[in-house]
Amino acid sequence: MANRRKTYAAQFKFERAIESIKKDNISEISRAYDIGTNVLCNWKKQLFKNGSNIFETSPDKENKKLKQKIKHLEQLVGKKEIELNVLKNFSDFYESPNTT
């Protein structure tokens, strides 16, 4: 019989992480819900790391997406400039009169 990992709903993880912060006793909560202490610690860390995203407004999220898109487009433009320069140099090399 294979040992499969348990999966938990996001809401359940959130509630247990909050509970672990309120009670400040991870061992007690992990025993009560049959969750590994390391798993619960990771959920708590994720909550602290990503919790500020809850308070982002739609404009903040939109700005972040737009900045990512701008960065991507700037990279594409840079790549195309390099390609154009290579093609121009290649073209100039073959169009120049052979002087030998």
Side-chain angles (χ1 to χ4, degrees), residues 11-28:
Q11 185 65 32
F12 179 83
K13 293 177 182 182
F14 175 74
E15 290 170 357
R16 298 304 72 83
I18 292 293
E19 189 175 349
S20 70
I21 293 167
K22 287 180 179 178
K23 289 188 176 182
D24 198 29
N25 191 336
I26 289 179
S27 298
E28 178 185 326

Side-chain angles (χ1 to χ4, degrees), residues 5-64:
R5 292 182 136 185
K6 290 182 182 179
T7 56
Y8 302 94
Q11 185 65 32
F12 179 83
K13 293 177 182 182
F14 175 74
E15 290 170 357
R16 298 304 72 83
I18 292 293
E19 189 175 349
S20 70
I21 293 167
K22 287 180 179 178
K23 289 188 176 182
D24 198 29
N25 191 336
I26 289 179
S27 298
E28 178 185 326
I29 297 163
S30 65
R31 280 192 304 272
Y33 294 97
D34 194 27
I35 305 168
T37 53
N38 288 339
V39 172
L40 192 53
C41 283
N42 286 336
W43 293 350
K44 187 176 173 181
K45 286 177 190 174
Q46 288 175 355
L47 179 63
F48 282 125
K49 182 180 175 186
N50 301 318
S52 63
N53 294 337
I54 296 168
F55 299 105
E56 282 188 0
T57 61
S58 292
D60 290 339
K61 291 178 184 177
E62 188 65 26
N63 283 342
K64 189 180 286 186

Side-chain angles (χ1 to χ4, degrees), residues 66-95:
L66 290 173
K67 285 179 183 179
Q68 289 173 343
K69 189 168 188 169
I70 289 170
K71 183 178 178 182
H72 176 71
L73 292 173
E74 286 174 340
Q75 290 172 346
L76 286 175
V77 168
K79 183 179 175 184
K80 294 300 175 192
E81 285 178 354
I82 291 170
E83 290 173 356
L84 285 172
N85 284 333
V86 168
L87 288 172
K88 184 181 180 308
N89 289 338
F90 183 77
S91 174
D92 288 347
F93 177 77
Y94 281 101
E95 287 179 1

